[in-house]
Amino acid sequence: QVIGVKLTGKLSGWSSPKDVILKVAGILTVKGGTGAIIEYHGPGVDSISCTGMATICNMGAEIGATTSVFPYNARMKKYLGKTGRADIAALADEFQQHLVPDSGCQYDQVIEINLSELKPHINGPFTPDLAHPVSDIGAVAEKEGWPVDIRVGLIGSCTNSSYEDMGRSAAVAKQALAHGLKCKSKFTITPGSEQIRATIERDGYAQILRDVGGLVLANACGPCIGQWDRKDIKKGEKNTIVTSYNRNFTGRNDANPETHAFVTSPEIVTALSIAGTLKFNPETDYLTGTDGKKFKLEAPDADELPKLEFDPGQDTYQYPPKDGSGQHVDVSPTSQRLQLLEPFDKWDGKDLEDMLILIKVKGKCTTDHISAAGPWLKFRGHLDNISNNLLIGAINIENGKANSVRNALTQEFGPVPDTARYYKKMGVKWAVIGDENYGEGSSREHAALEPRHLGGRVIITKSFARIHETNLKKQGLLPLTFADPADYNKIHPVDKLSIVGLADFAPGKPLKCVIKHPNGSQETIMLNHTFNESQIEWFQAGSALNRMKELQQKSS
């Protein structure tokens, strides 16, 4: 499907490209773009910078979109030229007629947004599709019992860290400094790349943001994925943070389930951090300077690209050896941080019989629920250790608890990873049953590696987020969906499952699932899949990497 988002009018004032996607997320929700391409078009497109379009497309993952696309235009040409890719711009100019919507094309759904009327938005908490105009959020927060005092404002990350973003934030900060003010909230800045870091240092933006009370962090994912050693609150303490990131699921940024995270544009984060409260609307409200005089922040303005060339910063790239065939990677067998991967086992050619159900998940299950970030990220290079976070955030339908599942072999309740390890030790294959949009959020590879490593074979859901579904296929797992979503209710955590017909596994051909209940009765349901022929070869080989190795050996 192709969903057309028609943009009319023109962005101005406090409204930013981030507000476009926050508004779209509010309309479509986190699963409204699943199975669809989002195509932005219309006369309003030309008022958005190239990096602004990138912000909108980057956050398309939050509505489940397969991809998002803008028509090629002069803003893209300008950006390509400034980043040393004028040759690509010239080629794009030559084929411009193919890089814009065809005249008279029909969309499966059309959303129209008048950019001239679009107000600054802030979405959250706990989900990126709960949209509010900034003007309303203070009152909504008070009504809902969300903390209105902002503990930390965080700008940057891959979504919103362009030169323009940093410039607009610095323009807000500069006004506060002129009146003797600094941020009331803690304030952090994550540059989006080494090039951005170096260029904002050279052009003075970084210093302005420091002067207003900001801390410039490394150009890395940082707090956006939980790489944040947060000291200002205790775990379990209810608090509010505002970020310019793309995701705000429970516990994502700081591993505290009581942190209410809201996503908005970098300039709104900066303004709210200066005021220190969700009750501040920069479009209408006044601040008080150190001289006692009231003043209003002017809408920020900044260059979309630097006047000078970009500063590439430090070149830290280490080239691999020209011939890697004789290379051996030494990893200490006692290392807790690194572990060499072993190939996963090949499919044995048989149907998957009598699998146990590790967990039947109730409700939202993002990749953060499947493989938590934060302190766990230190184990990213050690699959066995990071697997100790498998599905610890998912809610078990049997008891309404997280990280508490029944061991079908002992009948005792215990943590999800321990139960999976027990099944693996006993040589028993297992499955996971999921709800809607299973695996939304980050493209976290570990969320697919871990279930495979601990003996999982099948993930059956009402629907998948696209990237996670593909990741599961790559690791040799079977992501399957109920042909009839109501069949989710037929499976109970104490049942056993068999997937039959794998000898004839083929694209577009549903698979049969036999549900065996403890009383001896059986039911058969149909499961759909989206495997193509190459992906079926991944399953048969045990993983995509195994298949690549097979093809490599054939060719040599």
Side-chain angles (χ1 to χ4, degrees):
Q1 297 241 309
V2 182
I3 299 172
V5 179
K6 185 179 182 183
L7 303 176
T8 60
K10 189 178 176 188
L11 274 182
S12 63
W14 283 92
S15 297
S16 71
K18 183 65 161 264
D19 297 310
V20 176
I21 186 62
L22 294 178
K23 178 78 174 174
V24 170
I27 295 167
L28 285 176
T29 78
V30 288
K31 58 186 182 188
T34 304
I37 292 166
I38 313 293
E39 186 177 304
Y40 294 87
H41 63 283
V45 166
D46 290 341
S47 74
I48 303 173
S49 66
C50 181
T51 49
M53 296 181 212
T55 291
I56 293 167
C57 291
N58 176 310
M59 237 187 112
E62 304 334 305
I63 51 174
T66 299
T67 192
S68 304
V69 65
F70 272 88
Y72 175 70
N73 69 359
R75 305 294 281 264
M76 294 185 188
K77 181 176 182 174
K78 191 175 172 185
Y79 181 80
L80 288 166
K82 198 73 175 176
T83 53
R85 291 174 283 187
D87 54 333
I88 296 174
L91 202 59
D93 283 342
E94 194 180 328
F95 294 99
Q96 180 153 13
Q97 75 276 17
H98 299 302
L99 304 175
V100 295
D102 301 325
S103 63
C105 64
Q106 297 294 306
Y107 296 99
D108 295 293
Q109 181 183 346
V110 176
I111 296 166
E112 190 160 334
I113 297 173
N114 183 341
L115 300 178
S116 302
E117 296 171 1
L118 181 65
K119 289 291 182 188
H121 273 61
I122 182 166
N123 289 20
F126 306 122
T127 184
D129 58 356
L130 188 57
H132 323 268
V134 170
S135 55
D136 297 350
I137 189 62
V140 173
E142 285 190 319
K143 179 172 168 276
E144 297 289 343
W146 304 331
V148 292
D149 290 341
I150 297 165
R151 299 295 287 267
V152 192
L154 306 101
I155 65 170
S157 98
C158 64
T159 311
N160 254 132
S161 54
S162 67
Y163 186 81
E164 179 184 40
D165 290 328
M166 295 296 165
R168 282 172 69 91
S169 299
V172 175
K174 206 171 179 178
Q175 294 178 63
L177 288 167
H179 290 86
L181 295 187
K182 288 193 169 191
C183 290
K184 283 189 179 171
S185 312
K186 290 180 182 293
F187 184 47
T188 72
I189 300 97
T190 310
S193 64
E194 174 57 14
Q195 180 164 273
I196 291 295
R197 184 206 62 77
T199 308
I200 65 170
E201 287 287 2
R202 181 196 70 195
D203 293 354
Y205 291 165
Q207 195 53 50
I208 293 167
L209 294 169
R210 283 193 194 98
D211 291 345
V212 85
L215 176 67
V216 179
L217 305 175
N219 32 291
C221 292
C224 182
I225 61 157
Q227 291 174 324
W228 184 13
D229 187 15
R230 192 174 178 191
K231 300 278 199 243
D232 65 297
I233 56 147
K234 292 188 176 73
K235 190 164 181 177
E237 189 179 332
K238 200 171 172 182
N239 74 102
T240 284
I241 63 173
V242 289
T243 83
S244 70
Y245 305 157
N246 48 4
R247 300 185 185 117
N248 56 346
F249 301 124
T250 306
R252 177 178 171 85
N253 303 120
D254 62 0
N256 178 12
E258 288 300 320
T259 293
H260 293 55
F262 295 85
V263 290
T264 185
S265 67
E267 51 268 49
I268 292 289
V269 172
T270 308
L272 292 177
S273 300
I274 292 161
T277 174
L278 288 176
K279 294 199 279 186
F280 178 69
N281 175 11
E283 290 193 298
T284 56
D285 296 345
Y286 287 79
L287 294 166
T288 304
T290 48
D291 58 2
K293 291 179 182 172
K294 289 190 177 298
F295 72 98
K296 213 168 101 175
L297 293 169
E298 297 290 324
D301 192 29
D303 295 332
E304 65 181 281
L305 295 164
K307 289 185 172 68
L308 302 171
E309 294 306 307
F310 274 108
D311 182 340
Q314 298 174 317
D315 182 5
T316 55
Y317 182 62
Q318 294 181 349
Y319 288 85
K322 282 195 167 62
D323 179 13
S325 58
Q327 296 289 322
H328 179 72
V329 180
D330 284 319
V331 173
S332 165
T334 59
S335 171
Q336 294 301 300
R337 299 286 297 272
L338 292 175
Q339 178 189 48
L340 293 176
L341 285 173
E342 296 293 328
F344 292 133
D345 59 327
K346 283 182 69 159
W347 176 55
D348 61 9
K350 298 173 186 168
D351 286 337
L352 295 167
E353 298 276 2
D354 293 333
M355 289 179 290
L356 297 177
I357 293 165
L358 177 66
I359 183 172
K360 182 178 178 183
V361 178
K362 180 186 175 185
K364 188 188 271 287
C365 191
T366 73
T367 48
D368 284 289
H369 292 87
I370 303 166
S371 176
W376 290 99
L377 294 174
K378 63 176 172 281
F379 299 126
R380 280 188 302 180
H382 196 296
L383 179 55
D384 196 55
N385 280 349
I386 202 169
S387 293
N388 288 323
N389 74 7
L390 175 66
L391 285 158
I392 61 174
I395 300 301
N396 178 10
I397 201 166
E398 191 174 1
N399 56 12
K401 294 180 181 178
N403 203 23
S404 172
V405 293
R406 182 195 299 271
N407 182 320
L409 302 178
T410 67
Q411 295 307 310
E412 292 172 6
F413 278 83
V416 183
D418 297 10
T419 309
R421 286 186 187 280
Y422 186 84
Y423 292 163
K424 184 180 180 181
K425 189 174 91 178
M426 304 304 288
V428 178
K429 297 179 174 72
W430 52 263
V432 169
I433 310 302
D435 212 317
E436 294 270 13
N437 208 25
Y438 182 91
E440 68 173 284
S442 299
S443 57
R444 198 161 292 159
E445 201 85 40
H446 292 90
L449 281 160
E450 292 174 28
R452 182 71 163 100
H453 173 64
L454 294 186
R457 294 293 170 172
V458 182
I459 315 288
I460 305 170
T461 69
K462 292 180 186 175
S463 64
F464 284 99
R466 181 187 60 85
I467 297 173
H468 183 60
E469 181 185 18
T470 305
N471 284 347
L472 291 169
K473 293 176 186 176
K474 283 197 299 188
Q475 304 311 336
L477 283 145
L478 283 177
L480 306 171
T481 54
F482 295 104
D484 178 359
D487 288 345
Y488 170 87
N489 299 318
K490 290 182 180 175
I491 299 177
H492 305 286
V494 291
D495 294 338
K496 290 183 178 178
L497 303 178
S498 297
I499 304 295
V500 296
L502 286 172
D504 304 316
F505 191 16
K509 185 180 177 185
L511 289 166
K512 204 175 281 185
C513 174
V514 179
I515 308 164
K516 298 177 182 176
H517 302 299
N519 64 6
S521 66
Q522 294 189 4
E523 294 181 71
T524 300
I525 60 171
M526 298 308 291
L527 302 173
N528 295 333
H529 66 84
T530 60
F531 280 79
N532 60 33
E533 283 181 10
S534 299
Q535 292 169 340
I536 289 171
E537 289 170 355
W538 298 349
F539 167 73
Q540 291 165 342
S543 71
L545 276 177
N546 288 1
R547 181 60 184 149
M548 286 166 70
K549 192 78 173 173
E550 285 177 0
L551 293 170
Q552 201 178 40
Q553 286 166 346
K554 273 183 193 172
S555 62
S556 59

